Amino acid sequence: SESPTTREPQYQLPMCYYMQPPALKTGHLSKFQLETLFYIFYALPKDVLQAYSAQELYSREWRYHAELKLWFKRAGPADGVTASATTGNQYIYFDINSWERRIFNGSMNITPNLLSEDDIRVKFPNS
């Protein structure tokens, strides 16, 4: 009886399959949508891009809460919160479960546990 062949099929990949994608420059992060920055932050733990996305979120006035592990921003009229509601320093947060911004209705004072910009800044070891 005949045995099955174990030969590799003949094919040739196009050259574009061998090309490396262009490197992501940190300057590109300023052009990304908010949801993309959150994706980079949560999907790339301990990656330098996580740190750079955090810096970009801080430049957009988002603050990271160390205890809750959520991003917060002071709510304003652009966020659909009326001016009367913002007098009490109302915050919005990014809900990672529904992947959207929501109004924070918690009664706790979140301000003391928000990391400062210096806490999240990318620091390079002295060489």
Side-chain angles (χ1 to χ4, degrees):
S1 79
E2 294 182 28
S3 61
T5 62
T6 57
R7 242 177 21 151
E8 285 288 320
Q10 292 293 322
Y11 62 89
Q12 186 173 351
L13 286 175
M15 288 307 295
C16 62
Y17 278 71
Y18 298 105
M19 295 180 68
Q20 291 294 321
L24 179 63
K25 295 181 174 66
T26 56
H28 294 156
L29 293 174
S30 65
K31 299 174 182 149
F32 286 178
Q33 291 183 0
L34 194 62
E35 289 79 5
T36 306
L37 293 172
F38 285 124
Y39 175 79
I40 292 169
F41 180 83
Y42 287 110
L44 302 174
K46 299 182 182 176
D47 191 288
V48 70
L49 280 176
Q50 181 189 42
Y52 281 117
S53 66
Q55 279 187 198
E56 179 59 29
L57 287 165
Y58 265 71
S59 73
R60 298 184 190 190
E61 299 181 6
W62 285 86
R63 301 294 178 257
Y64 189 70
H65 193 283
E67 192 178 308
L68 298 175
K69 301 198 181 326
L70 292 172
W71 285 91
F72 288 86
K73 180 182 178 188
R74 234 181 216 128
D79 302 307
V81 178
T82 59
S84 61
T86 59
T87 55
N89 283 341
Q90 191 160 15
Y91 284 87
I92 58 171
Y93 71 100
F94 189 79
D95 185 344
I96 59 174
N97 296 313
S98 63
W99 213 252
E100 63 184 2
R101 288 167 270 192
R102 295 182 170 222
I103 294 176
F104 181 67
N105 292 320
S107 58
M108 65 184 273
N109 180 9
I110 63 168
T111 311
N113 289 320
L114 295 176
L115 296 180
S116 72
E117 189 168 2
D118 194 50
D119 290 334
I120 59 95
R121 186 163 303 285
V122 177
K123 298 170 185 78
F124 295 101
N126 295 336
S127 47

